[in-house]
Amino acid sequence: MPSTESPAPEMNPLRLREVTIPNRVWMSPMAQYAAGPDGLPTDWHLVHYGQRAVGGAGLIMVESTAVGPLHRTTSADLGIWTEEQAGAHRRLTSFIAGHGAVPAIQLLAAGRKGSHQVPWEGEGQNGPVGVSDGGWETFGPSAIPFGDLPVPREASQADLDEVVEAFAQATRMSHLAGYQAVEIHASHGYLLHQFLSPLANHRTDEYGGNPRNRMRFPLRVARAVREAFPADKPVFVRVTATDWAEGGITVEDAAEFAKELAAAGIDLLDVSSGVLTRDLEARPPARAGVNVGFATTLKQASGLAVAPVGQIEGLAAASRIVGDGEADAVLLGRPLLRDPYLALRGRPADKRAWPVRYHRAL
């Protein structure tokens, strides 16, 4: 007889617009730096993301993918600004969806945090790649550098207009590629986060100064992405709850931004924090579920669904967070790098969850 036991809270489906995600344990976007200069996904991406889809994660968020060649962090970043790239991404979305997970993608403009080395070479994220070596000029809200990277030029109005259109184009290409959700990256020190934080944004025009002005440009991007994506598919935003630095973004600032995102038609907040600067003290503290409380606060402030990321170490934590109503889902990064089948570990005898080709192991 079929089991009458209720599923664990993290295994319940979640519906956002017309997309139903089969469970609440999701893969967080984790950059692989495995694309070529053309930004096309490779066999590495297919195997990497495919394993996690087979492994039972309800939603697979493909890593931060650049919205244009000058918006990458490295020359090995994925891209999705052309139809050729969108067609190549179809290998990923088809496999992910074919194994029961929802394919999603995070869209990125790096701003001042671009044109650097891959993490395992030289100085990594703090190692600039010059134009003569295949890099590119960067820009940000103000001429304030990130770590030892070059001083960016202050973005012009034309730059900002180009970024908005680049996000819209990347969103259209994401739909063409078969992604069922897109996420705008407005955290971890990248361009939209730079505009939001007074530590990186010293502008005196309509995009700087008070919190409402600082959120003006990220909200332009959010509205453009929402308009460019089909109405039946959800749009997420990865937000920073705090900069963990004096004079930076506070959770109160983040709550006001969350309310504006709700008004712009955003469906879910992926809640993170920190990493605006290279200062060690501005990194999130090492504690379990560091962003869970922030996610609950932003959910209450905005009415949006939320999914925290960061130091959530397994299914027991996911079950408690979702079961207690602190969040609607959780995003797991490093735990899923270590174990692609983590989402199936709590269902060792559930043949409906495990791929039929693996049933002989149950």
Side-chain angles (χ1 to χ4, degrees), residues 4-361:
T4 58
E5 293 183 8
S6 298
E10 76 278 10
M11 290 300 129
N12 286 319
L14 177 65
R15 184 181 176 91
L16 295 170
R17 296 194 180 237
E18 298 303 314
V19 174
T20 298
I21 305 165
N23 64 57
R24 317 294 183 98
V25 179
W26 302 350
M27 183 177 186
S28 178
M30 297 286 285
Q32 297 298 294
Y33 307 104
D38 55 11
L40 298 177
T42 63
D43 288 347
W44 174 270
H45 296 99
L46 180 64
V47 173
H48 172 67
Y49 291 112
Q51 277 186 307
R52 277 78 191 170
V54 170
L59 178 141
I60 304 295
M61 182 74 72
V62 169
E63 66 202 72
S64 50
T65 300
V67 300
L70 301 182
H71 301 307
R72 297 171 294 167
T73 65
T74 77
S75 59
D77 287 11
L78 282 176
I80 195 159
W81 61 85
T82 70
E83 290 191 10
E84 180 187 12
Q85 290 167 335
H89 275 264
R90 273 212 166 268
R91 292 182 73 208
L92 307 184
T93 62
S94 296
F95 191 92
I96 291 167
H99 289 80
V102 169
I105 187 170
Q106 184 185 69
L107 303 179
L108 171 79
R112 69 177 189 172
K113 207 174 175 182
S115 195
H116 61 70
Q117 297 169 329
V118 296
W120 50 85
E121 292 184 1
E123 295 299 314
Q125 195 176 67
N126 209 37
V129 176
V131 174
S132 61
D133 295 319
W136 50 92
E137 181 188 42
T138 63
F139 62 81
S142 302
I144 303 171
F146 177 84
D148 293 335
L149 297 183
V151 176
R153 63 179 173 81
E154 182 174 302
S156 67
Q157 183 64 56
D159 291 326
L160 302 187
D161 293 343
E162 184 276 328
V163 171
V164 173
E165 176 50 35
F167 268 97
Q169 169 68 1
T171 301
R172 291 187 286 267
M173 292 301 98
S174 296
H175 170 58
L176 184 65
Y179 287 105
Q180 295 300 302
V182 295
E183 175 171 281
I184 302 163
H185 201 340
S187 186
H188 295 180
Y190 297 112
L191 184 63
L192 302 186
H193 183 186
Q194 293 160 29
F195 269 86
L196 288 165
S197 177
L199 297 178
N201 183 349
H202 292 183
R203 297 175 76 99
T204 58
D205 62 5
E206 68 270 31
Y207 294 105
N210 63 54
R212 182 159 295 278
N213 281 356
R214 295 198 310 274
M215 70 176 73
R216 189 184 305 275
F217 177 60
L219 287 173
R220 279 188 63 193
V221 170
R223 295 186 190 104
V225 169
R226 181 61 275 176
E227 184 177 352
F229 209 44
D232 60 344
K233 293 183 177 183
V235 175
F236 304 171
V237 178
R238 174 165 278 187
V239 296
T240 286
T242 174
D243 283 336
W244 296 109
E246 185 176 354
I249 291 171
T250 66
V251 70
E252 290 78 17
D253 296 331
E256 291 305 310
F257 184 45
K259 292 174 187 176
E260 294 294 333
L261 290 172
I266 299 305
D267 300 284
L268 179 139
L269 303 177
D270 168 356
V271 182
S272 189
S273 62
V275 205
L276 178 79
T277 71
R278 287 197 63 82
D279 301 331
L280 289 177
E281 60 269 25
R283 298 188 69 83
R287 68 169 186 247
V290 64
N291 295 310
V292 174
F294 294 137
T296 304
T297 297
L298 298 188
K299 179 180 177 68
Q300 293 170 345
S302 66
L304 292 174
V306 295
V309 65
Q311 302 178 57
I312 300 170
E313 284 302 323
L315 292 181
S319 186
R320 180 191 60 75
I321 292 163
V322 174
D324 290 349
E326 294 178 278
D328 299 277
V330 296
L331 286 147
L332 303 181
R334 288 168 178 81
L336 276 174
L337 293 185
R338 292 190 288 268
D339 181 359
Y341 300 97
L342 177 65
L344 290 178
R345 297 297 179 192
R347 294 174 282 173
D350 185 352
K351 290 191 173 183
R352 296 168 301 176
W354 285 81
V356 64
R357 293 171 178 83
Y358 293 173
H359 282 184
R360 75 191 73 173

